[in-house]
Amino acid sequence: MHPERAGNGYRDYQESAVYRVQQIRGMLDSGLTTEIIRRIIPFLDKPHGSASRLPHHS
């Protein structure tokens, strides 16, 4: 995330970035590990067709 800077020097995040942090915080609060969250994030952006990016287990 690369926020803009307001005139007062404060960081100004886009709504989508704020929402993403809220999603991640919720997953962490639910007990998911950062590794699991890292694997889930692509599905949050593109829920259809992302299964091809998952590792295949034998």
Side-chain angles (χ1 to χ4, degrees), residues 6-42:
N8 59 7
Y10 288 10
R11 292 179 183 96
D12 186 23
Y13 292 93
Q14 293 182 359
E15 282 295 317
S16 60
V18 173
Y19 183 65
R20 175 54 48 93
V21 171
Q22 290 171 335
Q23 288 176 313
I24 293 170
R25 184 75 254 165
M27 289 186 272
L28 288 168
D29 290 347
S30 296
L32 296 178
T33 65
T34 54
E35 177 61 25
I36 291 171
I37 294 169
R38 183 184 67 77
R39 292 177 182 215
I40 290 172
I41 286 176

